[in-house]
Amino acid sequence: MQFTDLKAQYAALKTSIDARIQRVLDHGQYIMGPEVKELESALTAYSGAPHCVAVASGTEALLIALMAIGLKPGDEVITTPFTFAATAEVIVLLGGVPVYVDIEPDTCNIDASLIEARITPRTKAIMPVSLYGQVADMEAINQIALRHGLVVIEDAAQSFGATYQGKKSCNVSTIACTSFFPSKPLGCYGDGGALFTSDAAIAQAAREIRVHGQSGRYHHTRVGVGGRMDTLQCAVVLAKLDRFDWEIQRRLALGDRYGRLIRASGAPVQLLAVRPDRDCVWAQYTVMVDDRPAVQAALQAEGIPTAVHYPKPLHHQPAYAADCCPDCNPHSIVAAQRVLSLPMSADLTEADQDRVVAVLANACVTSGCVAVGSGA
Ligand SMILES: *Cc1c(COP(=O)(O)O)cnc(C)c1O
């Protein structure tokens, strides 16, 4: 069993992916070829966000976003400690300070009610992460940002395709950044990403920063980066859009089915909560268990791959521990000890899913996990 089944996806899309790649090989415009603009148009249409800038990766999108808003050394960015390191990495790279706000224990997303207390005169932006594919409390976060003159940047690396209050992830804040890393809900065959914004000036800045700060050929208006997305990778994402709606429906259905099967098994496994005004596209299908090493080993022994997103909160990571005491963010600390991601992709079969849940339930009982309340 695969953790993310990219082979079945390629088999289903082979004709259009191969044709798209062949077209790029024929026209030969490997850098900033026509597929780049075509992808940007397709993604603005899909997300509803007014502007899209395709870039080299999700990390690059986050970096370019912070450069576009003019983040300066010493500026603070409020974010969650329970995320992939890239979220804080880009802040620190620019000399900024990540200020960590703890998560809600049931969704693992940033707790919006704790944000306002951490705002200082140096705060420049709030960067919530749509973890596992569920948007955080964006309405509350946008209101806080409005009151304090801050920019909101959604780290939507895991949530492309998710819906929040009827709008798509990447169109629920001034800026959003997503990733096309192969295993993300919308992936390419290498590195890629995109920045979305409702602000035309930020879009223009991002376009310039993407190509070394050029506003015209060899006219460097600002400091930028080499942040373009390859034409070939854009072609792959365009081909994958052919069945993306189906894949999202499938992820939602498989996520619901995991929940139903796990609850029906009676096993002491805590499900993540999904709020009623949004959905979760399950970039990872993540649950919480007590004795994770034992459960993971039992699944491994049955040939079922699992992963941990993430084993340490960022305020416990040597490179990113800047602002905080080790005991801060207690919910993030507990989540890091208990989260376990199960196989998930649009091509996961119901039979394989049944087997995952059967082995998981058995492992949780024999490893002596104590019963916990279900979040969902
Ligand atoms: C994957 C991911 C990133 C980085 O994306 P890349 O395309 O790998 O650079 C950033 N933030 C989160 C939350 C991610 O999951």
Side-chain angles (χ1 to χ4, degrees), residues 56-60 62 83-84 86-87 129 131 155 157-158 178-181 184 191-193 284 310:
S57 69
T59 307
E60 209 69 16
L62 292 167
T83 177
F84 182 55
T87 314
V129 177
L131 198 73
D155 182 343
Q158 302 182 6
T178 198
S179 163
F180 305 126
F181 187 86
K184 306 284 171 151
D191 279 307
Q284 284 85 32
Y310 296 90

Side-chain angles (χ1 to χ4, degrees), residues 247-269:
E247 288 193 9
I248 289 296
Q249 289 314 311
R250 186 80 192 140
R251 283 178 175 279
L252 297 175
L254 286 167
D256 284 349
R257 192 167 184 275
Y258 255 136
R260 283 199 307 277
L261 292 174
I262 290 169
R263 266 194 295 266
S265 77
V269 174

Side-chain angles (χ1 to χ4, degrees), residues 116-242:
E116 212 149 15
R118 304 302 307 280
I119 293 174
T120 76
R122 308 235 53 168
T123 309
K124 188 92 186 189
I126 307 173
M127 208 192 280
V129 177
S130 300
L131 198 73
Y132 306 135
Q134 175 177 205
V135 176
D137 279 333
M138 201 55 91
E139 187 182 358
I141 293 168
N142 281 330
Q143 277 169 11
I144 293 165
L146 196 64
R147 278 202 292 280
H148 297 270
L150 309 175
V151 184
V152 178
I153 302 169
E154 180 194 9
D155 182 343
Q158 302 182 6
S159 60
F160 197 76
T163 301
Y164 174 86
Q165 296 184 353
K167 291 171 99 177
K168 288 287 181 195
S169 169
C170 292
N171 186 32
V172 290
S173 57
T174 302
I175 307 179
C177 300
T178 198
S179 163
F180 305 126
F181 187 86
S183 59
K184 306 284 171 151
L186 181 61
C188 58
Y189 287 160
D191 279 307
L195 180 151
F196 295 83
T197 180
S198 56
D199 183 312
I202 289 172
Q204 183 57 31
R207 284 185 200 289
E208 293 176 10
I209 293 165
R210 171 175 68 174
V211 289
H212 307 284
Q214 295 175 92
S215 55
R217 194 161 169 79
Y218 298 127
H219 183 68
H220 300 269
T221 310
R222 56 173 89 237
V223 175
V225 294
R228 297 167 304 233
M229 182 166 170
D230 296 351
T231 312
L232 275 169
Q233 297 302 343
C234 292
V236 171
V237 177
L238 280 164
K240 289 208 190 176
L241 283 173
D242 287 354

Side-chain angles (χ1 to χ4, degrees), residues 106-125:
D106 61 341
T107 65
C108 290
N109 272 332
I110 191 167
D111 185 339
S113 72
L114 303 177
I115 290 176
E116 212 149 15
R118 304 302 307 280
I119 293 174
T120 76
R122 308 235 53 168
T123 309
K124 188 92 186 189

